Amino acid sequence: MRVTFCCTGTKAEPWLEGLRAALPHADISVWAPGAPQADYAVVWAPPQQFLDEQPGLKALFNIGAGVDALLKLRLPPQAQVVRLDDAGMSVQMAEYVAQAVIRHFRDLGAYEADMRQGQWQFRKPQLRADFPVGVMGLGVLGERVAKALGVFEFPVRGWSRSPKQIDGVQTYSGEAGFHDFLRGTRVLVNLLPLTPETENILCRDTLQQLLPGAYLINVARGAHLVEEDLVALIAQGHVAGAMLDVFRQEPLPAGHPFWTIPQITMTPHTSARTLREDSIAQIVGKVAALSRGEAVVGMVDPQRGY
């Protein structure tokens, strides 16, 4: 069995060491133009040349949570695209979103600003009942986030394309449930996959339907958000602020309006990082299952985009 590694911007050697230790009888190497045909590929943002030169691939294992960039390329005709189910990302995402919700709910940003200015003052506590949190996207990451928020006794709502049931979460689905979901939400968390249907979903029309004083947390993809609409709604006061981890252009360019808006807190696409050891264990298990002709979790439907 031959496995090729083609992950742009990723240090290859630690991955190769881990894969070779877990698959001692496999030929594992970094792809280079003209390399021999492989059976399986571990990829992140591979060039089109790689895919064109590997028409016999049986499966591509994508080491990040999103597959939108990969699906825009011409894929080998028989290759299956496989997502990592979690790879240590769900607990990271849950802690990131929970801290963002709590930071906003408890006015911790304002307290931090007060203390920097030498001011000692209290603010009136807010009621959890007034801060329903809506999670868009109820896959592995979204479900973990929704359950984590429930621990802090926030009213939690969830919306997904198809119906889902999660204990402690009021769920909505499809186009018919989307508007009801938005109208009862004050803090909106976006964890949707990026597809043609979800691109620009965080726009003026969507955000205006949220409860007044809404707050946005975007940890999915920058292309979900119409940035100028968020800026305008913050200026109008309907949206109180946002915590953003993803952007249309990364790194965020100097001079972008987000840098100067105090109501927007930003991090550099670091809400949940792939953990190498967990990823390798998953890849090895799925390679073994596919070799036996078994179905595996995380198979991507190119028509749906996730």
mmCIF file of all heavy atoms in Angstrom, residues 245-262:
data_model
loop_
_atom_site.group_PDB
_atom_site.id
_atom_site.type_symbol
_atom_site.label_atom_id
_atom_site.label_comp_id
_atom_site.label_asym_id
_atom_site.label_seq_id
_atom_site.Cartn_x
_atom_site.Cartn_y
_atom_site.Cartn_z
ATOM 1 N N ASP A 245 -13.244 34.381 14.081
ATOM 2 C CA ASP A 245 -12.002 33.612 13.980
ATOM 3 C C ASP A 245 -11.623 33.337 12.535
ATOM 4 O O ASP A 245 -10.522 32.869 12.264
ATOM 5 C CB ASP A 245 -12.155 32.287 14.732
ATOM 6 C CG ASP A 245 -10.863 31.493 14.788
ATOM 7 O OD1 ASP A 245 -9.849 32.053 15.260
ATOM 8 O OD2 ASP A 245 -10.852 30.329 14.359
ATOM 9 N N VAL A 246 -12.531 33.638 11.603
ATOM 10 C CA VAL A 246 -12.302 33.346 10.186
ATOM 11 C C VAL A 246 -12.683 34.565 9.353
ATOM 12 O O VAL A 246 -13.589 35.322 9.719
ATOM 13 C CB VAL A 246 -13.106 32.116 9.737
ATOM 14 C CG1 VAL A 246 -12.557 30.844 10.358
ATOM 15 C CG2 VAL A 246 -14.585 32.267 10.098
ATOM 16 N N PHE A 247 -11.998 34.708 8.211
ATOM 17 C CA PHE A 247 -12.157 35.921 7.413
ATOM 18 C C PHE A 247 -12.058 35.577 5.931
ATOM 19 O O PHE A 247 -11.480 34.557 5.551
ATOM 20 C CB PHE A 247 -11.075 36.939 7.791
ATOM 21 C CG PHE A 247 -11.034 37.196 9.274
ATOM 22 C CD1 PHE A 247 -10.223 36.425 10.103
ATOM 23 C CD2 PHE A 247 -11.833 38.161 9.851
ATOM 24 C CE1 PHE A 247 -10.197 36.628 11.470
ATOM 25 C CE2 PHE A 247 -11.825 38.374 11.223
ATOM 26 C CZ PHE A 247 -11.005 37.601 12.040
ATOM 27 N N ARG A 248 -12.603 36.449 5.107
ATOM 28 C CA ARG A 248 -12.560 36.219 3.664
ATOM 29 C C ARG A 248 -11.125 36.232 3.152
ATOM 30 O O ARG A 248 -10.780 35.474 2.251
ATOM 31 C CB ARG A 248 -13.388 37.276 2.930
ATOM 32 C CG ARG A 248 -14.876 37.055 3.092
ATOM 33 C CD ARG A 248 -15.702 38.038 2.298
ATOM 34 N NE ARG A 248 -17.112 37.705 2.427
ATOM 35 C CZ ARG A 248 -17.780 36.917 1.604
ATOM 36 N NH1 ARG A 248 -17.155 36.370 0.576
ATOM 37 N NH2 ARG A 248 -19.058 36.660 1.793
ATOM 38 N N GLN A 249 -10.310 37.097 3.711
ATOM 39 C CA GLN A 249 -8.897 37.131 3.357
ATOM 40 C C GLN A 249 -8.080 36.919 4.619
ATOM 41 O O GLN A 249 -8.253 37.637 5.599
ATOM 42 C CB GLN A 249 -8.525 38.473 2.710
ATOM 43 C CG GLN A 249 -7.073 38.533 2.258
ATOM 44 C CD GLN A 249 -6.742 39.839 1.549
ATOM 45 O OE1 GLN A 249 -7.635 40.585 1.126
ATOM 46 N NE2 GLN A 249 -5.463 40.119 1.399
ATOM 47 N N GLU A 250 -7.229 35.902 4.586
ATOM 48 C CA GLU A 250 -6.390 35.596 5.750
ATOM 49 C C GLU A 250 -4.935 35.537 5.323
ATOM 50 O O GLU A 250 -4.626 34.878 4.319
ATOM 51 C CB GLU A 250 -6.826 34.263 6.378
ATOM 52 C CG GLU A 250 -8.237 34.294 6.935
ATOM 53 C CD GLU A 250 -8.681 32.971 7.548
ATOM 54 O OE1 GLU A 250 -7.864 32.022 7.602
ATOM 55 O OE2 GLU A 250 -9.848 32.876 7.981
ATOM 56 N N PRO A 251 -4.040 36.202 6.064
ATOM 57 C CA PRO A 251 -4.285 37.083 7.205
ATOM 58 C C PRO A 251 -5.152 38.295 6.825
ATOM 59 O O PRO A 251 -5.145 38.716 5.675
ATOM 60 C CB PRO A 251 -2.883 37.537 7.626
ATOM 61 C CG PRO A 251 -1.944 36.559 7.010
ATOM 62 C CD PRO A 251 -2.597 36.098 5.757
ATOM 63 N N LEU A 252 -5.864 38.796 7.799
ATOM 64 C CA LEU A 252 -6.696 39.972 7.576
ATOM 65 C C LEU A 252 -5.804 41.146 7.196
ATOM 66 O O LEU A 252 -4.850 41.461 7.901
ATOM 67 C CB LEU A 252 -7.479 40.297 8.856
ATOM 68 C CG LEU A 252 -8.595 41.336 8.716
ATOM 69 C CD1 LEU A 252 -9.724 40.800 7.859
ATOM 70 C CD2 LEU A 252 -9.110 41.746 10.093
ATOM 71 N N PRO A 253 -6.065 41.798 6.072
ATOM 72 C CA PRO A 253 -5.153 42.848 5.608
ATOM 73 C C PRO A 253 -5.194 44.097 6.486
ATOM 74 O O PRO A 253 -6.219 44.414 7.105
ATOM 75 C CB PRO A 253 -5.662 43.156 4.197
ATOM 76 C CG PRO A 253 -7.093 42.720 4.186
ATOM 77 C CD PRO A 253 -7.178 41.552 5.128
ATOM 78 N N ALA A 254 -4.065 44.773 6.520
ATOM 79 C CA ALA A 254 -4.007 46.071 7.209
ATOM 80 C C ALA A 254 -4.995 47.015 6.549
ATOM 81 O O ALA A 254 -5.196 46.990 5.333
ATOM 82 C CB ALA A 254 -2.586 46.636 7.131
ATOM 83 N N GLY A 255 -5.637 47.839 7.354
ATOM 84 C CA GLY A 255 -6.619 48.772 6.824
ATOM 85 C C GLY A 255 -8.028 48.225 6.752
ATOM 86 O O GLY A 255 -8.964 48.961 6.426
ATOM 87 N N HIS A 256 -8.209 46.930 7.060
ATOM 88 C CA HIS A 256 -9.563 46.367 7.061
ATOM 89 C C HIS A 256 -10.354 47.011 8.192
ATOM 90 O O HIS A 256 -9.832 47.238 9.289
ATOM 91 C CB HIS A 256 -9.498 44.855 7.259
ATOM 92 C CG HIS A 256 -10.794 44.166 6.980
ATOM 93 N ND1 HIS A 256 -11.876 44.231 7.845
ATOM 94 C CD2 HIS A 256 -11.204 43.398 5.930
ATOM 95 C CE1 HIS A 256 -12.887 43.534 7.350
ATOM 96 N NE2 HIS A 256 -12.501 43.014 6.188
ATOM 97 N N PRO A 257 -11.641 47.336 7.955
ATOM 98 C CA PRO A 257 -12.457 47.994 8.991
ATOM 99 C C PRO A 257 -12.515 47.247 10.315
ATOM 100 O O PRO A 257 -12.634 47.862 11.378
ATOM 101 C CB PRO A 257 -13.844 48.080 8.344
ATOM 102 C CG PRO A 257 -13.598 48.034 6.877
ATOM 103 C CD PRO A 257 -12.385 47.179 6.687
ATOM 104 N N PHE A 258 -12.442 45.915 10.285
ATOM 105 C CA PHE A 258 -12.550 45.152 11.523
ATOM 106 C C PHE A 258 -11.477 45.528 12.541
ATOM 107 O O PHE A 258 -11.698 45.414 13.750
ATOM 108 C CB PHE A 258 -12.456 43.656 11.237
ATOM 109 C CG PHE A 258 -13.673 43.053 10.587
ATOM 110 C CD1 PHE A 258 -13.653 41.732 10.133
ATOM 111 C CD2 PHE A 258 -14.850 43.780 10.419
ATOM 112 C CE1 PHE A 258 -14.762 41.156 9.546
ATOM 113 C CE2 PHE A 258 -15.965 43.221 9.808
ATOM 114 C CZ PHE A 258 -15.914 41.906 9.371
ATOM 115 N N TRP A 259 -10.304 45.945 12.078
ATOM 116 C CA TRP A 259 -9.224 46.276 13.005
ATOM 117 C C TRP A 259 -9.593 47.418 13.945
ATOM 118 O O TRP A 259 -9.061 47.519 15.056
ATOM 119 C CB TRP A 259 -7.959 46.654 12.239
ATOM 120 C CG TRP A 259 -7.255 45.533 11.526
ATOM 121 C CD1 TRP A 259 -7.116 45.388 10.180
ATOM 122 C CD2 TRP A 259 -6.572 44.414 12.119
ATOM 123 N NE1 TRP A 259 -6.404 44.253 9.884
ATOM 124 C CE2 TRP A 259 -6.051 43.632 11.052
ATOM 125 C CE3 TRP A 259 -6.356 43.998 13.428
ATOM 126 C CZ2 TRP A 259 -5.319 42.463 11.272
ATOM 127 C CZ3 TRP A 259 -5.632 42.830 13.637
ATOM 128 C CH2 TRP A 259 -5.122 42.073 12.587
ATOM 129 N N THR A 260 -10.471 48.297 13.497
ATOM 130 C CA THR A 260 -10.733 49.534 14.252
ATOM 131 C C THR A 260 -12.097 49.559 14.928
ATOM 132 O O THR A 260 -12.476 50.575 15.509
ATOM 133 C CB THR A 260 -10.623 50.747 13.314
ATOM 134 O OG1 THR A 260 -11.584 50.622 12.244
ATOM 135 C CG2 THR A 260 -9.227 50.844 12.713
ATOM 136 N N ILE A 261 -12.848 48.464 14.870
ATOM 137 C CA ILE A 261 -14.182 48.422 15.495
ATOM 138 C C ILE A 261 -14.056 47.745 16.852
ATOM 139 O O ILE A 261 -13.813 46.533 16.934
ATOM 140 C CB ILE A 261 -15.188 47.678 14.601
ATOM 141 C CG1 ILE A 261 -15.325 48.385 13.250
ATOM 142 C CG2 ILE A 261 -16.549 47.578 15.287
ATOM 143 C CD1 ILE A 261 -16.215 47.665 12.253
ATOM 144 N N PRO A 262 -14.205 48.482 17.932
ATOM 145 C CA PRO A 262 -13.973 47.893 19.269
ATOM 146 C C PRO A 262 -14.951 46.787 19.626
ATOM 147 O O PRO A 262 -14.643 45.939 20.474
ATOM 148 C CB PRO A 262 -14.104 49.091 20.212
ATOM 149 C CG PRO A 262 -14.873 50.114 19.450
ATOM 150 C CD PRO A 262 -14.524 49.920 18.009
#
